[in-house]
């Protein structure tokens, strides 16, 4: 037992190799130790060795039949290898053995939402509210507020009141405020809705450890690094076997919608919102050059760039993407355009834009899990939007042929024509199947997961206007 406890401690400290050794020592003594098997499965998940993870987690589930965490992990592993059917089987089995557990209802409901089974998600969340009270009960009500009919909302609001004083952590209050705001907006009570959105965002802003203005020196260094000399240096003659496509911009500008449309094309795949550039490639360059980002990308050697390219290709292989064009839709990659150009001179960068007030309201009225100031303050978002536009204008004047700007409004108003132009930009011919994106069951885990399961409509273009006076009042406040 001491060996198992120590292995678990090492895993929590992220000392994976030492933990792996100790878990295997436990298994030598007892090959059926479920906790050791679970520990090895978790290690394989962190190392992105998903096939090995499935092997260990299956065995862990056999020997820990009453534990839900190994089942959750196994479902995640199946999703990672592109097998959502197996993940669904695992989660539905977990529900069958823990019908009174709110957590599994929420977990399965989220799976259904991610894969477009909206009615299934609604039913599971609703049944989950009959379970003993849990922290996820608040989150399930929040999801139900967005899925329920208007006549069902008053009952949900009453249920939400039951949880008002049960949980102290600010996150529960933030989610509850967003739930109330969503409810009031659905009922046409816009004044009340705005007040709750305001409460949610003001509370979340208190949880942020920095402000957008703190980022200004970094972006100034970025522009200084990626100057005319940076782009005038000879570039590697790289012949990649795929076309790297990056969708960048501000949050809530339509990146998920665009990704869903494009991936219906027979030659377009995606690695989602991959953080491989910031989490793997940048640290490597910082280590090798002994300079921080962005200075580390100024003049890396050919061997460094080759290694970075291999890291990116490995990421694509892990996602089992084999198509000709490969999308990375992480919006904040706008700050990595210089690095992208160094790695892949043939990369296609699609810059999404949106009318500012509509964009600001879409961010302000949605709950982002990350405590970042531009997600929960209109004035903070305004500054962030100014930064993003300055950065993209800087890059666009220097590598104009690599960047294609598309407005959200144009995508909504003229979808087919816009997609034709985008596909031409990434060297592909239009396929009409692209416009049937809403039929796809591909995983979508962003805030747009329910919207992209519907045909394109124009309601989102004007939804913000009923709050225009309040938006302007917030924006006029001194910072």
């Amino acid at each position: 037992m001491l060996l198992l406890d120590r292995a678990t401690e090492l895993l929590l400290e992220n000392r994976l190799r030492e933990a792996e050794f100790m878990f295997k020592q436990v298994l030598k003594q007892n090959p059926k130790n479920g906790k050791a098997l679970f520990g090895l499965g978790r290690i394989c998940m962190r190392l992105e060795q998903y096939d090995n993870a499935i092997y260990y987690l299956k065995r862990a589930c056999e020997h820990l039949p009453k534990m839900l965490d190994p089942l959750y992990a196994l479902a995640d592993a199946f999703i990672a290898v592109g097998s959502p059917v197996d993940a669904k089987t695992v989660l539905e089995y977990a529900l069958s053995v823990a019908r009174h557990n709110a957590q599994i209802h929420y977990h399965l409901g989220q799976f259904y939402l991610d894969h477009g089974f909206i009615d299934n998600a609604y039913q599971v969340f609703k049944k989950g509210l009959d379970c003993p009270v849990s922290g996820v009960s608040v989150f399930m009500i929040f999801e139900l507020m967005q899925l329920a009919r208007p006549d069902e909302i008053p009952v949900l609001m009453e249920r939400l009141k039951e949880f008002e004083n049960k949980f102290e952590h600010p996150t529960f209050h933030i989610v509850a405020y967003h739930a109330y705001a969503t409810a009031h907006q659905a009922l046409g009570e816009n004044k009340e809705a705005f007040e709750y959105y305001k409460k949610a965002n003001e509370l979340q802003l208190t949880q942020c450890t920095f402000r957008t203005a703190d980022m200004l020196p970094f972006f100034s260094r970025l522009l200084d690094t990626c100057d005319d000399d940076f782009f005038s240096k000879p570039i590697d003659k790289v012949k990649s076997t795929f076309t790297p496509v990056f969708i960048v911009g501000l949050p809530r500008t339509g990146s998920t919608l665009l990704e869903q449309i494009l991936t219906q094309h027979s030659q377009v795949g995606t690695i989602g919102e991959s953080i491989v550039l910031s989490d793997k490639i940048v640290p490597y360059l910082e280590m090798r050059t002994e300079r921080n980002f962005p200075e580390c990308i100024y003049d890396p050697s050919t061997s460094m760039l080759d290694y970075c390219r291999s890291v990116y290709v490995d990421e694509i292989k892990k996602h089992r993407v084999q198509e000709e064009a490969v999308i990375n839709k992480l919006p904040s990659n706008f700050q990595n355009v210089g690095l992208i150009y160094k790695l892949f001179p043939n990369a296609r960068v699609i810059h999404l834009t949106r009318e500012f007030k509509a964009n600001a309201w879409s961010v302000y009225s949605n709950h982002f899990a990350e405590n970042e100031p531009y997600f929960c303050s209109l004035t903070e978002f305004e500054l962030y939007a100014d930064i993003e536009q300055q950065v993209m204008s800087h890059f666009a004047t220097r590598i104009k042929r690599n960047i294609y700007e598309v407005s959200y409004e144009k995508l909504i108003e003229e979808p087919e024509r816009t997609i034709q132009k985008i596909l031409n930009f990434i060297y592909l011919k239009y396929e009409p199947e692209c416009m049937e994106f809403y039929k796809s069951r591909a995983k979508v885990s962003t805030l747009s997961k329910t919207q992209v399961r519907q045909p394109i409509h124009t309601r989102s273009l004007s939804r913000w206007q009923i709050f225009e006076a309040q938006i302007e009042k917030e924006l006029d406040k001194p910072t």
Side-chain angles (χ1 to χ4, degrees), residues 156-168:
L156 288 171
M157 293 176 77
E158 288 301 314
R159 289 298 309 272
L160 189 55
K161 290 178 182 177
E162 298 174 14
F163 304 111
E164 283 185 352
N165 299 313
K166 290 188 180 294
F167 307 105
E168 295 183 4

Side-chain angles (χ1 to χ4, degrees), residues 157-441:
M157 293 176 77
E158 288 301 314
R159 289 298 309 272
L160 189 55
K161 290 178 182 177
E162 298 174 14
F163 304 111
E164 283 185 352
N165 299 313
K166 290 188 180 294
F167 307 105
E168 295 183 4
H169 197 281
T171 298
F172 295 108
H173 296 284
I174 292 166
V175 172
Y177 289 149
H178 270 290
Y180 280 124
T182 303
H184 283 297
Q185 187 173 354
L187 296 173
E189 299 165 355
N190 297 322
K191 181 180 178 182
E192 293 85 351
F194 186 85
E195 288 305 311
Y196 275 109
Y197 282 130
K198 189 175 178 181
K199 283 183 177 181
N201 283 286
E202 287 180 346
L203 179 55
Q204 188 163 11
L205 188 61
T206 66
Q207 304 303 300
C208 299
T209 58
F210 70 99
R211 292 295 181 265
T212 309
D214 299 335
M215 303 166 69
L216 290 172
F218 163 77
F219 283 107
S220 178
R221 286 169 41 224
L222 177 67
L223 299 185
D224 288 343
T225 300
C226 299
D227 58 6
D228 291 336
D229 288 340
F230 176 89
F231 287 104
S232 66
K233 292 179 180 293
I235 57 175
D236 290 352
K237 301 293 183 180
V238 180
K239 288 187 178 180
S240 57
T241 57
F242 65 100
T243 301
V245 178
F246 295 84
I247 301 175
V248 304
L250 295 169
R252 304 297 297 171
T253 52
S255 60
T256 300
L257 173 61
L258 180 56
E259 178 200 39
Q260 283 293 99
I261 295 173
L262 292 178
T263 51
Q264 302 317 300
H265 193 285
S266 61
Q267 290 302 315
V268 180
T270 181
I271 58 174
E273 294 190 350
S274 174
I275 56 175
V276 61
L277 289 175
S278 57
D279 271 25
K280 294 181 180 179
I281 292 175
V282 166
Y284 166 77
L285 289 174
E286 289 181 326
M287 181 267 294
R288 287 296 307 273
T289 63
E290 297 183 345
R291 288 182 289 181
N292 292 329
F293 184 79
E295 289 81 8
C296 66
I297 71 171
Y298 186 74
D299 195 19
S301 68
T302 298
S303 63
M304 291 180 199
L305 292 175
D306 284 342
Y307 176 80
C308 293
R309 292 183 191 107
S310 69
V311 170
Y312 200 85
V313 170
D314 285 345
E315 188 74 10
I316 293 172
K317 289 178 180 177
K318 286 172 186 172
H319 284 79
R320 290 166 165 75
V321 177
Q322 299 177 339
E323 287 81 4
E324 181 180 329
V326 182
I327 293 173
N328 182 336
K329 66 169 286 285
L330 185 68
S332 60
N333 268 332
F334 73 85
Q335 62 190 303
N336 289 319
V337 171
L339 172 59
I340 290 167
Y341 181 71
K342 284 283 187 182
L343 295 176
F344 304 109
N346 68 321
R348 308 281 82 187
V349 177
I350 302 168
H351 177 211
L352 283 171
T353 65
R354 188 175 183 180
E355 197 280 328
F356 171 71
K357 288 180 184 176
N359 195 178
W361 177 250
S362 186
V363 171
Y364 194 74
S365 60
N366 277 279
H367 173 240
F368 289 80
E370 301 84 359
N371 291 326
E372 298 176 17
Y374 33 82
F375 291 151
C376 49
S377 163
L378 290 170
T379 52
E380 294 282 336
F381 181 76
E382 185 174 37
L383 177 56
Y384 187 69
D386 288 344
I387 292 170
E388 189 270 349
Q389 185 56 51
Q390 182 184 1
V391 170
M392 287 308 301
S393 296
H394 177 91
F395 287 128
T397 59
R398 288 160 177 82
I399 48 172
K400 189 174 183 179
R401 292 182 180 180
N402 293 65
I403 299 174
Y404 186 72
E405 186 172 294
V406 181
S407 77
Y408 175 78
E409 289 76 18
K410 189 65 70 174
L411 178 61
I412 297 299
E413 292 168 350
E414 299 178 2
E416 193 166 354
R417 186 180 178 193
T418 303
I419 294 302
Q420 288 173 347
K421 290 181 177 180
I422 292 172
L423 286 169
N424 183 61
F425 174 66
I426 61 178
Y427 314 118
L428 295 173
K429 292 182 179 180
Y430 176 73
E431 293 179 357
E433 290 79 6
C434 291
M435 301 319 298
E436 296 184 342
F437 65 92
Y438 53 89
K439 297 178 182 179
S440 170
R441 294 301 185 197

